[in-house]
Amino acid sequence: MNAISPNPSRAYDLNFARYVYENIDGGERLRMCMQCGACSGSCPIGQQMDHGPRKLFMMIRAGMKEAVLTSNTIWNCVSCYNCVVRCPRKVPITYILHDLANLAVREGFDAAKKADNARFAKAFMWSARKYGRTDERLVTGIYYFSFGLLEGMKRGMGNQKIALNMIKTKRMHLGMPHAIKAKDELQNILAKAQEIQDRHGKGA
Amino acid sequence: MSDKPKSQTVLVVGGGIGGISAALEAAECGAEVVLIEKAPTLGGRVAALNRYFPKMCHPTCGLEINYQRIKKNPRIKVFTMAEVSGISGSKGDYTVTVTTTPRHVTPACTACGDCAKVAASEVADPFNYGLAKMKAAYLPHAMAFPMRYVVDPSVVGTPEGQAIKAACKVEAINLDEKPESFALQVGAVIWATGWKPYDPKNLTMYRHGEIADVITNVEMERLASHDGPTKGHILKPSSGEAPKKVALIQCAGSRDLNHLAYCSRICCLASMKHAAYVREQYPEAEVDIYYIDIRAHDKLEAFYQKAKADPGIRWIKSKPSRIEKGASGEPVVCGENTLSREVYANAYDLVVLATGMQASAQPPAGAQLDDYGFVVSEEGVFGAGVATGPLDVSMSVQSATAAALRAVQAVRS
């Protein structure tokens, strides 16, 4: 097994490709990529990605660790699976992008911490852990205020009308957050998932 | 000697260019040969091509020479509309059951065409890959061997069938013919069962059959052929107009684990040939070739270099992800240019899918096949031509010659 280079600021890591092949979810099939571009061409938001999956995979092979883990491609994937279905080499592109995003956070890249999806995922997981479900107000609040007090208020005010309509149609409620009954069981499930992920991350 | 072959006859199954070559080479070595073909004529898929790469010569020329060789060689027996339905035994002593489909036309036929003139109903024309229909009494194509008409079973027992029979001056029509079976004793078998184009319906993202101006490479051959549905003019199937912008999409099914896992080898050159057809007919037309990488196999790099030098051909390194329908029904090819990273959506008048070569529809009974459905040679049973894997015509002939040599050895030792 290969270790990722310990210094996250290092732009190039010649071990990076091998690390990805051996440790990233679906990374093993990445060896099969033949750079045809079917993935990036299939992507419904390919225009919004800085590199797109195909180029990102080439960058992995080139050892461009920092550029890969600070790319917006790993965060912009919407899991539509168009690319996975069309990939002529059966590379599970979606899994790889999601696990790379995870790696970017673990490696402490600033861009990863600041990514929109990372902020939202963090707020979502907080709510899921605490209540066993998402509380729209709290998740949205934590997500908005992660951009700072001023930006948070601005975003909140901007979406006031939507919020009021959601309350009216009972898509959002006022009062204490609802929680599920067997929270401890969910906690056990999450702990197990974390354990599997950690073990996976070590190449087990 | 107990292991002396009981039969010195070589059976060749499939009358395409591979089977014809194998049969001729074996017969010209002195072996007795039986050549069977399930279609009404020899020639196979080669007969449906417009030109060969790289010399752009007509397949009819090579076929004509081979037909002459067959006619002059008394050691070859040809059965058309016949299929192998069973095979048993071992090297030197096989019993093969052959089943024939009625042609309803006897060898007395002079190919005058009077029967076709009175035939009213139309049937699907496999020679033109469904691009055209033909009369229920038909000559399979201009280069048919034997040069004999066929009456489609759909008209048997109808007044139309009687009219067709009555129209024949030489009384060559026999509507009472029934399927027959007979057994052959042979010493070696050559499977030259060929290929079929990969079904574009499986490539749902390319919408063949849904967008009229998306065609396949074999259909392109028919459009470009003088005896094809458009008399050799490459025209848009939707409107019959001349195309100004043509896209050729490589690896439509090939090199794809969801479809054909292997490279079909011939498609790159075939598409360059198609580019040449278009540029020859319409010097103003633009041709875009979408490719993963160009595989100009064998000694054909020069053909690629020549195509590359043509300013009217644009090379786009990309496997298109999908084809969309434009505002006026035209095909729009979408994907990522892997050299520029540009995500494109280009509209065309005509899109040609370079569909790959798939092992023949019905795998030969009792033959050993590899993972992809191609024939693996064994003792006494040999594959020839595209039955063994994707090959171009010249390689197919080489493969057939090799198989003939092995078959001749098998029946003589």
Side-chain angles (χ1 to χ4, degrees):
Chain A
M1 189 204 116
N2 257 267
I4 196 160
S5 130
N7 179 1
S9 67
R10 231 175 96 185
Y12 281 90
D13 179 350
L14 296 179
N15 273 332
F16 188 54
R18 198 162 295 161
Y19 177 86
V20 171
Y21 294 156
E22 291 176 0
N23 300 284
I24 292 295
D25 197 9
E28 198 183 279
R29 295 243 15 124
L30 191 55
R31 294 171 200 268
M32 300 298 290
C33 172
M34 60 173 172
Q35 292 286 303
C36 69
C39 49
S40 303
S42 295
C43 187
I45 52 156
Q47 307 270 23
Q48 278 96 301
M49 286 181 170
D50 46 6
H51 304 303
R54 179 202 51 84
K55 188 175 164 195
L56 198 78
F57 294 163
M58 199 42 145
M59 288 160 66
I60 291 172
R61 286 176 178 171
M64 298 166 72
K65 185 181 93 178
E66 187 175 0
V68 169
L69 296 181
T70 55
S71 153
N72 78 18
T73 300
I74 57 180
W75 293 104
N76 283 358
C77 170
V78 293
S79 308
C80 74
Y81 286 85
N82 260 343
C83 55
V84 179
V85 169
R86 289 186 185 143
C87 176
R89 293 304 181 95
K90 293 196 172 170
V91 178
I93 297 148
T94 306
Y95 297 174
I96 294 171
L97 294 184
H98 289 330
D99 210 15
L100 282 173
N102 210 310
L103 177 67
V105 174
R106 288 206 307 271
E107 287 288 303
F109 282 97
D110 216 33
K113 278 189 260 174
K114 284 184 179 158
D116 253 27
N117 287 2
R119 294 169 195 265
F120 183 80
K122 214 170 152 189
F124 175 89
M125 278 310 291
W126 173 83
S127 178
R129 280 213 170 85
K130 198 163 167 65
Y131 303 112
R133 59 197 302 166
T134 49
D135 183 279
E136 289 80 7
R137 295 161 305 168
L138 295 176
V139 171
T140 320
I142 292 169
Y143 168 61
Y144 283 172
F145 284 102
S146 74
F147 294 94
L149 189 64
L150 211 68
E151 177 67 18
M153 285 171 73
K154 218 171 101 186
R155 289 193 181 208
M157 297 302 278
N159 284 308
Q160 223 175 13
K161 212 174 146 191
I162 294 175
L164 285 172
N165 281 335
M166 281 175 77
I167 292 167
K168 244 190 259 172
T169 51
K170 298 200 166 134
R171 308 308 299 170
M172 199 155 91
H173 76 285
L174 299 169
M176 292 298 286
H178 296 313
I180 58 164
K181 278 177 200 157
K183 235 163 53 179
D184 50 334
E185 282 177 34
L186 179 75
Q187 240 103 48
N188 285 340
I189 294 171
L190 291 175
K192 185 74 186 173
Q194 185 68 49
E195 187 200 312
I196 293 168
Q197 183 178 310
D198 291 348
R199 197 170 57 210
H200 186 84
K202 283 179 199 131
Chain B
M1 254 173 78
S2 60
D3 59 347
K4 181 122 179 93
K6 266 184 145 175
S7 168
Q8 273 80 50
T9 303
V10 175
L11 172 70
V12 180
V13 187
I17 194 71
I20 292 174
S21 305
L24 280 168
E25 295 298 341
E28 288 172 6
C29 287
E32 290 296 325
V33 176
V34 175
L35 173 60
I36 72 165
E37 163 60 48
K38 91 180 156 193
T41 169
L42 301 186
R45 300 212 178 263
V46 150
L49 298 178
N50 177 37
R51 311 269 190 94
Y52 286 154
F53 57 76
K55 291 202 261 177
M56 302 298 268
C57 45
H58 294 272
T60 43
C61 175
L63 278 178
E64 175 61 27
I65 293 167
N66 283 322
Y67 289 170
Q68 289 301 332
R69 283 166 78 190
I70 293 175
K71 280 179 192 164
K72 282 179 190 148
N73 199 316
R75 282 187 288 273
I76 302 183
K77 304 272 177 301
V78 179
F79 293 94
T80 50
M81 303 188 83
E83 277 182 86
V84 169
S85 50
I87 180 167
S88 61
S90 56
K91 182 189 152 189
D93 183 19
Y94 292 101
T95 304
V96 180
T97 318
V98 177
T99 309
T100 60
T101 317
R103 176 192 280 268
H104 300 301
V105 178
T106 68
C109 174
T110 59
C112 68
D114 285 349
C115 54
K117 280 182 202 136
V118 298
S121 58
E122 291 191 318
V123 294
D125 179 2
F127 181 67
N128 279 313
Y129 294 100
L131 290 173
K133 294 220 153 193
M134 59 186 179
K135 292 285 183 62
Y138 60 94
L139 190 64
H141 53 79
M143 278 296 290
F145 182 100
M147 184 54 81
R148 203 193 306 170
Y149 273 67
V150 185
V151 174
D152 195 81
S154 64
V155 297
V156 173
T158 64
E160 188 186 347
Q162 291 307 319
I164 290 170
K165 187 178 160 81
C168 184
K169 290 188 199 82
V170 293
E171 292 180 1
I173 291 169
N174 174 8
L175 296 172
D176 304 325
E177 238 178 85
K178 294 274 175 290
E180 275 172 36
S181 265
F182 57 89
L184 288 173
Q185 301 299 318
V186 299
V189 179
I190 295 176
W191 294 115
T193 42
W195 60 286
K196 60 171 178 173
Y198 187 67
D199 187 353
K201 281 185 186 60
N202 298 337
L203 304 162
T204 48
M205 67 284 193
Y206 291 155
R207 302 169 78 173
H208 179 274
E210 197 184 325
I211 302 174
D213 293 330
V214 177
I215 63 170
T216 66
N217 46 4
V218 287
E219 290 167 348
M220 180 65 161
E221 290 292 335
R222 296 315 304 147
L223 288 186
S225 292
H226 68 95
D227 59 346
T230 54
K231 304 269 177 282
H233 302 288
I234 298 167
L235 302 172
K236 289 163 66 174
S238 64
S239 61
E241 292 163 28
K244 292 185 192 74
K245 272 194 85 179
V246 178
L248 308 175
I249 297 181
Q250 297 313 110
C251 302
S254 303
R255 299 180 70 190
D256 190 330
L257 295 176
N258 304 307
H259 302 284
L260 304 175
Y262 48 85
C263 167
S264 293
R265 183 144 41 185
I266 54 118
C267 335
C268 279
L269 262 296
S271 288
M272 286 182 227
K273 184 179 69 170
H274 293 163
Y277 292 170
V278 174
R279 298 278 297 140
E280 196 180 296
Q281 289 195 13
Y282 310 111
E284 303 298 313
E286 290 169 33
V287 179
D288 290 355
I289 299 183
Y290 292 89
Y291 65 100
I292 301 176
D293 25 48
I294 291 295
R295 293 185 165 180
H297 68 271
D298 203 19
K299 294 165 279 186
L300 300 165
E301 180 72 11
F303 195 86
Y304 173 38
Q305 294 306 332
K306 204 176 133 200
K308 265 190 115 172
D310 184 340
I313 303 176
R314 203 156 60 118
W315 303 80
I316 301 169
K317 188 167 166 60
S318 166
K319 179 181 172 69
S321 63
R322 65 194 184 283
I323 296 176
E324 308 224 324
K325 208 176 201 164
S328 40
E330 79 282 10
V332 180
V333 177
C334 305
E336 182 210 27
N337 182 327
T338 66
L339 295 182
S340 66
R341 205 3 229 148
E342 173 215 356
V343 178
Y344 59 78
N346 301 329
Y348 291 96
D349 296 322
L350 187 66
V351 175
V352 184
L353 306 177
T355 48
M357 289 176 135
Q358 193 171 15
S360 204
Q362 290 135 323
Q368 197 188 323
L369 304 178
D370 68 10
D371 292 347
Y372 305 129
F374 292 107
V375 174
V376 179
S377 294
E378 301 162 84
E379 208 191 28
V381 178
F382 310 100
V386 186
T388 63
L391 299 171
D392 69 7
V393 176
S394 65
M395 292 166 122
S396 192
V397 171
Q398 287 167 27
S399 153
T401 307
L405 181 62
R406 293 182 70 183
V408 167
Q409 286 171 345
V411 294
R412 285 195 181 162
S413 58

